Amino acid sequence: MCVTHQEKHNRLISPKKTKTQREKEREMATTTTEATKTSSTNGEDQKQSQNLRHQEVGHKSLLQSDDLYQYILETSVYPREPESMKELREVTAKHPWNIMTTSADEGQFLNMLIKLVNAKNTMEIGVYTGYSLLATALALPEDGKILAMDVNRENYELGLPIIEKAGVAHKIDFREGPALPVLDEIVADEKNHGTYDFIFVDADKDNYINYHKRLIDLVKIGGVIGYDNTLWNGSVVAPPDAPMRKYVRYYRDFVLELNKALAADPRIEICMLPVGDGITICRRIS
């Protein structure tokens, strides 16, 4: 179907969705890889086989060597991982939607980043079982705050006992439901503008641009917004007809559109990092 530029623009800025977020979560967690096209040479077959093995290991690292990724985890991440985060990671690994969790190396990165920027008032859009939320809460000072939003309280409550045992639940204000109405309410009060030190977004990719339009007013100058999954399984460089999972193909154009928008936004400095599934760090400068 031919889509005009204006129609495409409207589709991107409108919060209207064709599926509920829970349906998207189930699709993302349960969809299997589409059949790959037959290669013409043995070399291509071997390369395709290696890529599929890497894809199905269960982690979201973009490194082409599983051994190298394991080296990073065992050398740098796991020895320093707080016991509560390890416990929550292991609990989440048993959940049928575990592909949605933040990777352990990204959790470590977020924890350090929050300390580096001395964040105190923070926000997280997309919580799942709370691994990245716990990483944030542990990094914040005792009086730090996190406004956490997710459409599924049941998943959050899976990790809540661990968060409570870690002694950081008092820092979290969890809101169940879509984030956009909450953001609109917050943005409407100008007293909230420029009051957030750090914001992490790992939610519905088709609303990332809608989130950015609102979050840029809420984060302070010098504050940081982190957008997760901005390399989207590596699909951002794949040809349109490349074999990919249905949920990857569905969100791919939205991720590409976000990346273009962030690169062109003069209000921020950006740094795109191949941590986890790709994370883009945005520092507001005006």
Side-chain angles (χ1 to χ4, degrees):
M1 177 177 69
C2 180
V3 180
T4 66
H5 176 76
Q6 186 60 44
E7 288 171 335
K8 184 177 181 182
H9 177 72
N10 290 341
R11 184 183 66 184
L12 287 170
I13 66 172
S14 171
K16 176 183 174 184
K17 300 181 184 180
T18 57
K19 304 178 180 179
T20 67
Q21 183 59 24
R22 292 194 186 194
E23 286 173 337
K24 291 175 184 176
E25 286 176 342
R26 292 189 183 100
E27 178 180 293
M28 184 168 68
T30 60
T31 304
T32 56
T33 306
E34 295 179 3
T36 56
K37 295 181 178 180
T38 304
S39 300
S40 58
T41 66
N42 291 336
E44 288 176 348
D45 284 337
Q46 184 178 8
K47 182 178 180 181
Q48 227 175 31
S49 176
Q50 290 173 345
N51 287 342
L52 286 173
R53 282 201 302 273
H54 177 78
Q55 188 180 54
E56 294 174 357
V57 166
H59 62 70
K60 294 188 282 187
S61 171
L62 294 169
L63 293 172
Q64 291 304 301
S65 167
D66 293 322
D67 290 339
L68 183 57
Y69 182 62
Q70 197 65 28
Y71 173 82
I72 292 172
L73 292 176
E74 293 177 357
T75 303
S76 173
V77 180
Y78 292 158
R80 298 295 188 95
E81 185 179 33
E83 189 61 33
S84 57
M85 289 183 66
K86 177 184 178 182
E87 183 180 358
L88 182 49
R89 174 170 56 81
E90 291 175 346
V91 167
T92 303
K94 300 173 184 177
H95 193 271
W97 303 352
N98 59 43
I99 188 87
M100 296 195 301
T101 192
T102 300
S103 61
D105 54 325
E106 187 174 7
Q108 183 187 59
F109 171 71
L110 292 173
N111 183 276
M112 178 174 287
L113 180 61
I114 289 161
K115 293 174 182 175
L116 288 172
V117 302
N118 294 313
K120 185 174 180 180
N121 191 34
T122 70
M123 181 188 300
E124 180 162 328
I125 302 175
V127 172
Y128 186 41
T129 61
Y131 186 80
S132 58
L133 186 64
L134 179 56
T136 299
L138 289 171
L140 291 175
E142 185 63 19
D143 59 346
K145 298 295 180 184
I146 314 168
L147 173 58
M149 292 171 275
D150 198 287
V151 297
N152 192 320
R153 178 179 288 273
E154 183 178 347
N155 290 336
Y156 167 64
E157 290 181 344
L158 184 66
L160 184 56
I162 299 170
I163 294 172
E164 291 174 335
K165 187 167 63 172
V168 293
H170 66 282
K171 302 178 185 180
I172 300 168
D173 175 13
F174 179 82
R175 311 276 186 91
E176 183 180 20
L180 286 175
V182 179
L183 292 177
D184 285 338
E185 182 179 343
I186 296 173
V187 171
D189 186 350
E190 293 189 2
K191 292 180 182 179
N192 295 318
H193 290 199
T195 59
Y196 285 86
D197 306 308
F198 178 81
I199 301 172
F200 181 58
V201 184
D202 182 11
D204 43 334
K205 317 309 170 193
D206 45 351
N207 267 323
Y208 267 27
I209 283 189
N210 294 319
Y211 293 143
H212 185 67
K213 288 173 59 181
R214 294 156 174 80
L215 297 180
I216 196 65
D217 289 330
L218 297 177
V219 71
K220 71 179 184 181
I221 293 179
V224 171
I225 306 172
Y227 290 101
D228 200 23
N229 306 114
T230 52
L231 294 177
W232 200 229
N233 281 234
S235 67
V236 291
V237 295
D241 60 346
M244 60 185 75
R245 297 176 182 181
K246 290 180 180 178
Y247 78 88
V248 173
R249 186 178 301 282
Y250 176 80
Y251 287 115
R252 178 178 177 271
D253 287 345
F254 295 107
V255 174
L256 287 169
E257 194 72 21
L258 171 78
N259 291 341
K260 290 178 183 177
L262 296 181
D265 192 336
R267 299 167 295 180
I268 56 176
E269 296 174 329
I270 67 170
C271 180
M272 182 183 285
L273 300 170
V275 177
D277 192 26
I279 180 171
T280 298
I281 303 300
C282 309
R283 177 177 176 267
R284 183 181 173 188
I285 57 176
S286 67

Tab-separated table of all heavy atoms in Angstrom, residues 83-85 87-89 91-92 127-131 133-134 138 153-170 172:
chain	number	residue	atom	x	y	z
A	83	GLU	N	23.986	-9.454	44.599
A	83	GLU	CA	23.289	-10.716	44.804
A	83	GLU	C	21.811	-10.592	44.438
A	83	GLU	O	21.222	-11.523	43.879
A	83	GLU	CB	23.430	-11.167	46.263
A	83	GLU	CG	22.915	-12.574	46.524
A	83	GLU	CD	23.646	-13.639	45.717
A	83	GLU	OE1	24.861	-13.477	45.462
A	83	GLU	OE2	22.984	-14.638	45.337
A	84	SER	N	21.212	-9.448	44.736
A	84	SER	CA	19.794	-9.266	44.415
A	84	SER	C	19.551	-9.249	42.911
A	84	SER	O	18.554	-9.804	42.425
A	84	SER	CB	19.277	-7.959	45.030
A	84	SER	OG	20.037	-6.845	44.585
A	85	MET	N	20.466	-8.639	42.153
A	85	MET	CA	20.322	-8.614	40.701
A	85	MET	C	20.537	-10.006	40.114
A	85	MET	O	19.845	-10.406	39.169
A	85	MET	CB	21.288	-7.606	40.085
A	85	MET	CG	20.905	-6.158	40.369
A	85	MET	SD	21.994	-4.957	39.555
A	85	MET	CE	21.628	-5.274	37.826
A	87	GLU	N	19.826	-12.801	41.644
A	87	GLU	CA	18.617	-13.558	41.967
A	87	GLU	C	17.479	-13.210	41.013
A	87	GLU	O	16.775	-14.098	40.515
A	87	GLU	CB	18.204	-13.281	43.410
A	87	GLU	CG	16.997	-14.084	43.861
A	87	GLU	CD	16.598	-13.811	45.295
A	87	GLU	OE1	17.296	-13.018	45.974
A	87	GLU	OE2	15.577	-14.382	45.743
A	88	LEU	N	17.302	-11.927	40.742
A	88	LEU	CA	16.232	-11.513	39.845
A	88	LEU	C	16.509	-11.970	38.417
A	88	LEU	O	15.586	-12.379	37.701
A	88	LEU	CB	16.072	-9.990	39.881
A	88	LEU	CG	14.945	-9.398	39.027
A	88	LEU	CD1	13.631	-10.118	39.251
A	88	LEU	CD2	14.797	-7.910	39.296
A	89	ARG	N	17.757	-11.937	38.003
A	89	ARG	CA	18.122	-12.420	36.665
A	89	ARG	C	17.780	-13.900	36.524
A	89	ARG	O	17.256	-14.335	35.480
A	89	ARG	CB	19.611	-12.174	36.414
A	89	ARG	CG	20.129	-12.768	35.108
A	89	ARG	CD	21.541	-12.280	34.792
A	89	ARG	NE	22.489	-12.540	35.845
A	89	ARG	CZ	23.105	-13.694	36.059
A	89	ARG	NH1	22.843	-14.734	35.266
A	89	ARG	NH2	23.977	-13.840	37.037
A	91	VAL	N	15.549	-15.642	38.282
A	91	VAL	CA	14.093	-15.799	38.311
A	91	VAL	C	13.497	-15.454	36.946
A	91	VAL	O	12.639	-16.166	36.422
A	91	VAL	CB	13.465	-14.917	39.414
A	91	VAL	CG1	11.954	-14.827	39.248
A	91	VAL	CG2	13.817	-15.455	40.790
A	92	THR	N	13.976	-14.354	36.376
A	92	THR	CA	13.466	-13.897	35.081
A	92	THR	C	13.786	-14.894	33.975
A	92	THR	O	12.995	-15.070	33.041
A	92	THR	CB	14.056	-12.517	34.731
A	92	THR	OG1	13.745	-11.597	35.779
A	92	THR	CG2	13.494	-11.994	33.419
A	127	VAL	N	9.135	-1.937	32.292
A	127	VAL	CA	9.765	-2.477	33.496
A	127	VAL	C	10.004	-3.983	33.411
A	127	VAL	O	11.034	-4.475	33.857
A	127	VAL	CB	8.882	-2.157	34.730
A	127	VAL	CG1	9.399	-2.867	35.978
A	127	VAL	CG2	8.825	-0.650	34.950
A	128	TYR	N	9.032	-4.706	32.848
A	128	TYR	CA	9.043	-6.170	32.829
A	128	TYR	C	9.188	-6.679	34.267
A	128	TYR	O	8.421	-6.274	35.140
A	128	TYR	CB	10.133	-6.674	31.891
A	128	TYR	CG	10.139	-8.181	31.670
A	128	TYR	CD1	8.961	-8.891	31.498
A	128	TYR	CD2	11.332	-8.888	31.639
A	128	TYR	CE1	8.963	-10.270	31.312
A	128	TYR	CE2	11.346	-10.265	31.439
A	128	TYR	CZ	10.160	-10.946	31.285
A	128	TYR	OH	10.161	-12.309	31.103
A	129	THR	N	10.166	-7.523	34.582
A	129	THR	CA	10.294	-8.039	35.947
A	129	THR	C	11.132	-7.131	36.838
A	129	THR	O	11.248	-7.385	38.043
A	129	THR	CB	10.927	-9.445	35.950
A	129	THR	OG1	12.236	-9.377	35.378
A	129	THR	CG2	10.069	-10.431	35.162
A	130	GLY	N	11.732	-6.105	36.266
A	130	GLY	CA	12.408	-5.107	37.084
A	130	GLY	C	13.914	-5.216	37.198
A	130	GLY	O	14.509	-4.617	38.099
A	131	TYR	N	14.571	-5.928	36.266
A	131	TYR	CA	16.036	-6.061	36.380
A	131	TYR	C	16.734	-4.712	36.212
A	131	TYR	O	17.576	-4.332	37.040
A	131	TYR	CB	16.557	-7.071	35.360
A	131	TYR	CG	18.033	-7.372	35.519
A	131	TYR	CD1	18.474	-8.267	36.501
A	131	TYR	CD2	18.988	-6.775	34.704
A	131	TYR	CE1	19.831	-8.553	36.655
A	131	TYR	CE2	20.343	-7.047	34.852
A	131	TYR	CZ	20.760	-7.936	35.834
A	131	TYR	OH	22.104	-8.205	35.993
A	133	LEU	N	15.279	-1.864	36.503
A	133	LEU	CA	14.735	-1.029	37.578
A	133	LEU	C	15.541	-1.226	38.857
A	133	LEU	O	15.869	-0.255	39.569
A	133	LEU	CB	13.272	-1.398	37.810
A	133	LEU	CG	12.456	-0.555	38.784
A	133	LEU	CD1	12.322	0.878	38.287
A	133	LEU	CD2	11.075	-1.168	38.984
A	134	LEU	N	15.875	-2.457	39.160
A	134	LEU	CA	16.682	-2.761	40.345
A	134	LEU	C	18.091	-2.188	40.192
A	134	LEU	O	18.657	-1.651	41.155
A	134	LEU	CB	16.738	-4.269	40.569
A	134	LEU	CG	17.560	-4.773	41.762
A	134	LEU	CD1	17.086	-4.131	43.064
A	134	LEU	CD2	17.488	-6.293	41.856
A	138	LEU	N	19.405	0.521	42.965
A	138	LEU	CA	20.613	0.277	43.756
A	138	LEU	C	21.641	1.394	43.579
A	138	LEU	O	22.431	1.658	44.488
A	138	LEU	CB	21.228	-1.070	43.358
A	138	LEU	CG	20.455	-2.324	43.784
A	138	LEU	CD1	21.052	-3.567	43.134
A	138	LEU	CD2	20.447	-2.471	45.312
A	153	ARG	N	1.462	-5.314	35.529
A	153	ARG	CA	1.879	-5.347	36.937
A	153	ARG	C	2.305	-6.755	37.355
A	153	ARG	O	3.188	-6.918	38.216
A	153	ARG	CB	0.742	-4.859	37.829
A	153	ARG	CG	1.065	-4.908	39.316
A	153	ARG	CD	-0.079	-4.388	40.168
A	153	ARG	NE	-0.209	-2.952	40.053
A	153	ARG	CZ	0.472	-2.080	40.805
A	153	ARG	NH1	1.335	-2.521	41.707
A	153	ARG	NH2	0.301	-0.789	40.660
A	154	GLU	N	1.695	-7.756	36.758
A	154	GLU	CA	2.000	-9.136	37.135
A	154	GLU	C	3.494	-9.435	36.954
A	154	GLU	O	4.113	-10.080	37.809
A	154	GLU	CB	1.163	-10.094	36.296
A	154	GLU	CG	1.344	-11.554	36.665
A	154	GLU	CD	0.472	-12.478	35.840
A	154	GLU	OE1	-0.445	-11.986	35.147
A	154	GLU	OE2	0.709	-13.700	35.871
A	155	ASN	N	4.067	-8.986	35.841
A	155	ASN	CA	5.494	-9.203	35.623
A	155	ASN	C	6.332	-8.463	36.663
A	155	ASN	O	7.311	-8.993	37.189
A	155	ASN	CB	5.886	-8.750	34.219
A	155	ASN	CG	5.345	-9.653	33.136
A	155	ASN	OD1	5.052	-10.822	33.382
A	155	ASN	ND2	5.189	-9.117	31.939
A	156	TYR	N	5.938	-7.227	36.936
A	156	TYR	CA	6.663	-6.424	37.931
A	156	TYR	C	6.625	-7.091	39.300
A	156	TYR	O	7.640	-7.129	40.017
A	156	TYR	CB	6.042	-5.024	37.991
A	156	TYR	CG	6.480	-4.183	39.168
A	156	TYR	CD1	7.805	-3.780	39.312
A	156	TYR	CD2	5.557	-3.787	40.144
A	156	TYR	CE1	8.202	-2.998	40.397
A	156	TYR	CE2	5.950	-3.012	41.219
A	156	TYR	CZ	7.266	-2.620	41.345
A	156	TYR	OH	7.659	-1.850	42.404
A	157	GLU	N	5.483	-7.646	39.662
A	157	GLU	CA	5.344	-8.262	40.972
A	157	GLU	C	6.128	-9.563	41.091
A	157	GLU	O	6.403	-10.028	42.195
A	157	GLU	CB	3.860	-8.496	41.285
A	157	GLU	CG	3.117	-7.180	41.531
A	157	GLU	CD	1.653	-7.377	41.869
A	157	GLU	OE1	1.130	-8.495	41.616
A	157	GLU	OE2	1.036	-6.412	42.363
A	158	LEU	N	6.530	-10.129	39.952
A	158	LEU	CA	7.404	-11.296	39.991
A	158	LEU	C	8.751	-10.935	40.613
A	158	LEU	O	9.328	-11.717	41.376
A	158	LEU	CB	7.609	-11.845	38.572
A	158	LEU	CG	8.431	-13.129	38.436
A	158	LEU	CD1	7.693	-14.299	39.084
A	158	LEU	CD2	8.692	-13.437	36.963
A	159	GLY	N	9.240	-9.744	40.281
A	159	GLY	CA	10.528	-9.319	40.825
A	159	GLY	C	10.433	-8.486	42.085
A	159	GLY	O	11.450	-8.236	42.750
A	160	LEU	N	9.225	-8.039	42.436
A	160	LEU	CA	9.057	-7.128	43.569
A	160	LEU	C	9.578	-7.688	44.896
A	160	LEU	O	10.222	-6.938	45.660
A	160	LEU	CB	7.583	-6.718	43.689
A	160	LEU	CG	7.255	-5.689	44.772
A	160	LEU	CD1	8.088	-4.426	44.593
A	160	LEU	CD2	5.761	-5.359	44.767
A	161	PRO	N	9.343	-8.960	45.228
A	161	PRO	CA	9.885	-9.464	46.502
A	161	PRO	C	11.409	-9.333	46.591
A	161	PRO	O	11.954	-9.064	47.673
A	161	PRO	CB	9.457	-10.933	46.506
A	161	PRO	CG	8.237	-10.970	45.643
A	161	PRO	CD	8.495	-9.977	44.558
A	162	ILE	N	12.085	-9.499	45.472
A	162	ILE	CA	13.543	-9.370	45.459
A	162	ILE	C	13.935	-7.914	45.624
A	162	ILE	O	14.905	-7.584	46.339
A	162	ILE	CB	14.114	-9.959	44.154
A	162	ILE	CG1	13.770	-11.447	44.064
A	162	ILE	CG2	15.626	-9.744	44.074
A	162	ILE	CD1	14.076	-12.068	42.710
A	163	ILE	N	13.199	-7.026	44.975
A	163	ILE	CA	13.453	-5.584	45.107
A	163	ILE	C	13.233	-5.142	46.551
A	163	ILE	O	14.018	-4.359	47.112
A	163	ILE	CB	12.549	-4.797	44.143
A	163	ILE	CG1	12.941	-5.099	42.687
A	163	ILE	CG2	12.625	-3.298	44.409
A	163	ILE	CD1	11.991	-4.520	41.650
A	164	GLU	N	12.176	-5.666	47.165
A	164	GLU	CA	11.895	-5.330	48.571
A	164	GLU	C	12.988	-5.867	49.484
A	164	GLU	O	13.440	-5.172	50.418
A	164	GLU	CB	10.534	-5.906	48.963
A	164	GLU	CG	9.360	-5.215	48.279
A	164	GLU	CD	8.022	-5.877	48.569
A	164	GLU	OE1	8.027	-7.101	48.874
A	164	GLU	OE2	6.999	-5.197	48.482
A	165	LYS	N	13.435	-7.080	49.224
A	165	LYS	CA	14.500	-7.675	50.053
A	165	LYS	C	15.802	-6.890	49.929
A	165	LYS	O	16.579	-6.821	50.886
A	165	LYS	CB	14.708	-9.137	49.635
A	165	LYS	CG	15.667	-9.894	50.531
A	165	LYS	CD	15.610	-11.396	50.282
A	165	LYS	CE	16.040	-11.779	48.880
A	165	LYS	NZ	16.149	-13.246	48.711
A	166	ALA	N	16.008	-6.272	48.746
A	166	ALA	CA	17.212	-5.462	48.538
A	166	ALA	C	17.121	-4.109	49.238
A	166	ALA	O	18.110	-3.366	49.280
A	166	ALA	CB	17.445	-5.258	47.040
A	167	GLY	N	15.937	-3.782	49.758
A	167	GLY	CA	15.778	-2.550	50.524
A	167	GLY	C	15.635	-1.285	49.699
A	167	GLY	O	15.922	-0.190	50.189
A	168	VAL	N	15.166	-1.430	48.443
A	168	VAL	CA	15.080	-0.242	47.579
A	168	VAL	C	13.673	-0.006	47.031
A	168	VAL	O	13.464	0.884	46.207
A	168	VAL	CB	16.078	-0.340	46.404
A	168	VAL	CG1	17.518	-0.276	46.910
A	168	VAL	CG2	15.852	-1.622	45.592
A	169	ALA	N	12.685	-0.777	47.501
A	169	ALA	CA	11.327	-0.639	46.966
A	169	ALA	C	10.738	0.735	47.254
A	169	ALA	O	9.889	1.219	46.488
A	169	ALA	CB	10.432	-1.730	47.549
A	170	HIS	N	11.167	1.384	48.333
A	170	HIS	CA	10.628	2.697	48.691
A	170	HIS	C	11.011	3.776	47.681
A	170	HIS	O	10.416	4.851	47.661
A	170	HIS	CB	11.125	3.103	50.077
A	170	HIS	CG	12.596	3.341	50.153
A	170	HIS	ND1	13.513	2.305	50.220
A	170	HIS	CD2	13.327	4.490	50.152
A	170	HIS	CE1	14.736	2.803	50.286
A	170	HIS	NE2	14.655	4.127	50.244
A	172	ILE	N	10.668	3.409	44.461
A	172	ILE	CA	9.939	3.144	43.221
A	172	ILE	C	8.471	3.533	43.341
A	172	ILE	O	7.775	3.120	44.269
A	172	ILE	CB	10.049	1.650	42.842
A	172	ILE	CG1	11.517	1.258	42.644
A	172	ILE	CG2	9.238	1.354	41.585
A	172	ILE	CD1	11.750	-0.243	42.548
